[in-house]
Amino acid sequence: PDAFTEALLRKNYNVPQGQVDAVLARGTGEGWAEKRPGYGWSFSPMLTDPESLLQSYRMRLALEPAALLEPGYKLEPGVIAQLRAAEQQLLDGGIQSATALQLHDRGVRFHEALAEGSGNAFFIDTIRRVNRVRRLLSYRSMQDRRRYLQHTQQHLKLLELLERGRQEEASAAMRTHLEATLRNIGSISKLLRS
């Protein structure tokens, strides 16, 4: 249920209190569970509402292209090389062999690294927070992996533009990338509701 107690979790999943505490601490940290006033816990509606995943992308659409335009934006060559290698692994077969967790974490690392290049703590913190909250819904969207070839190609293009110092074009490319992701997620909304 949306609202629950620790006792319910212990009973339903036959786990000790320490494990329940650890899961609830992680849920609180990631934003998908919260202590109710007085007694019990509740899941965030962001966890159970597929529209939340779309909303998270619309928020990212407002932030991530802007982060690439910050004065003094700088993505270190070593970071670019690491990100490029991760994308190449996907092209070399990782799209089909990676777990949902690996695919999600690769995307998170990519987008957070690009935000970190802005040097703006507000962009960085906000993008990290939204990535933590959308993790569980994001896993369901990975059942259809056809879109990852396009994502990987778009990520490589972004890296090329940033490497050449072409922030304006990179910002426009990021907007296009996130818009395409929004369209793709909209087309698999049945998976998110299941």
Side-chain angles (χ1 to χ4, degrees):
D2 288 341
F4 57 92
T5 64
E6 293 173 28
L8 178 72
L9 293 179
R10 283 194 315 271
K11 180 182 173 196
N12 282 2
Y13 298 101
N14 194 28
V15 294
Q17 184 64 43
Q19 192 171 358
V20 169
D21 292 343
V23 168
L24 292 174
R26 181 171 180 181
T28 301
E30 292 187 0
W32 49 263
E34 58 188 33
K35 187 92 168 117
R36 293 174 55 125
Y39 184 70
W41 292 80
S42 62
F43 287 115
S44 166
M46 288 184 280
L47 176 65
T48 57
D49 180 9
E51 177 63 22
S52 295
L53 185 60
L54 295 170
Q55 290 171 350
S56 78
Y57 274 94
R58 288 192 295 270
M59 190 204 64
R60 290 176 60 203
L61 188 57
L63 293 178
E64 291 189 43
L68 301 180
L69 298 174
E70 276 292 284
Y73 185 93
K74 175 83 171 127
L75 199 57
E76 296 298 327
V79 172
I80 291 173
Q82 288 175 343
L83 295 174
R84 187 174 279 131
E87 297 301 318
Q88 190 59 51
Q89 281 183 316
L90 289 181
L91 290 177
D92 294 341
I95 291 173
Q96 293 308 317
S97 64
T99 66
L101 175 61
Q102 290 168 329
L103 282 174
H104 176 78
D105 286 348
R106 186 258 339 153
V108 164
R109 279 193 306 275
F110 181 87
H111 286 272
E112 288 181 2
L114 267 56
E116 288 166 6
S118 73
N120 183 320
F122 294 97
F123 281 124
I124 297 165
D125 183 62
T126 303
I127 290 166
R128 283 182 183 154
R129 284 175 189 261
V130 76
N131 281 333
R132 285 193 305 265
V133 172
R134 72 183 182 87
R135 175 186 302 269
L136 297 177
L137 271 175
S138 181
Y139 290 161
R140 280 193 261 168
S141 75
M142 292 177 188
Q143 294 175 37
D144 181 350
R145 296 184 178 210
R146 291 174 292 186
R147 62 194 168 103
Y148 282 94
L149 177 61
Q150 179 188 38
H151 284 199
T152 301
Q153 292 166 339
Q154 291 170 341
H155 283 184
L156 289 170
K157 180 65 175 174
L158 276 161
L159 291 174
E160 176 190 332
L161 292 168
L162 291 170
E163 190 172 44
R164 295 167 61 196
R166 296 167 64 178
Q167 269 61 37
E168 293 274 345
E169 290 175 66
S171 177
M174 178 65 81
R175 175 167 294 286
T176 300
H177 170 60
L178 292 172
E179 286 171 343
T181 302
L182 260 169
R183 282 191 304 277
N184 288 334
I185 289 173
S187 72
I188 60 168
S189 61
K190 288 179 185 169
L191 287 177
L192 297 175
R193 295 185 195 292
S194 62

